[in-house]
């Protein structure tokens, strides 16, 4: 499923809510697994994806990194 086919029948807001829930879930999981080193672990995941040339995976991990390092 591509982004354009997904958004054809869904609002952008609904997509963002699902995406935010996925990012929050991933951030919580990584925090539980790596504790204080969660941001470092996610940075390595993003780097690995970048070196593999996987742009979608890279964007996901950088978004998780942002969630982990941004104070709300």
């Amino acid at each position: 499923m591509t982004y354009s086919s997904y958004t054809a029948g869904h609002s952008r807001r609904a997509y963002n809510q699902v995406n935010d829930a996925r990012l929050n879930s991933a951030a919580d999981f990584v925090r539980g697994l790596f504790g204080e080193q969660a941001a470092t672990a996610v940075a390595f995941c993003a780097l690995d994806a970048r070196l593999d040339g996987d742009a979608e995976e890279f964007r996901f991990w950088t978004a998780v990194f942002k969630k982990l390092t941004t104070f709300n």
Side-chain angles (χ1 to χ4, degrees):
M1 175 184 295
T2 64
Y3 175 76
S4 58
S5 68
Y6 177 82
T7 56
H10 299 83
S11 70
R12 180 141 176 93
R13 181 177 178 178
Y15 173 78
N16 286 337
Q17 287 172 344
V18 170
N19 198 34
D20 282 345
R22 182 175 175 226
L23 292 176
N24 288 332
S25 177
D28 290 343
F29 177 78
V30 173
R31 265 191 217 106
L33 195 59
F34 293 102
E36 292 180 9
Q37 300 301 318
T40 303
V42 168
F44 279 111
C45 291
L47 179 62
D48 189 45
R50 180 71 167 182
L51 293 173
D52 285 345
D54 190 339
E56 184 176 338
E57 184 92 1
F58 176 73
R59 281 191 301 274
F60 172 76
W61 287 117
T62 54
V64 173
F65 181 83
K66 184 176 178 181
K67 288 272 186 195
L68 289 169
T69 58
T70 302
F71 295 105
N72 293 334

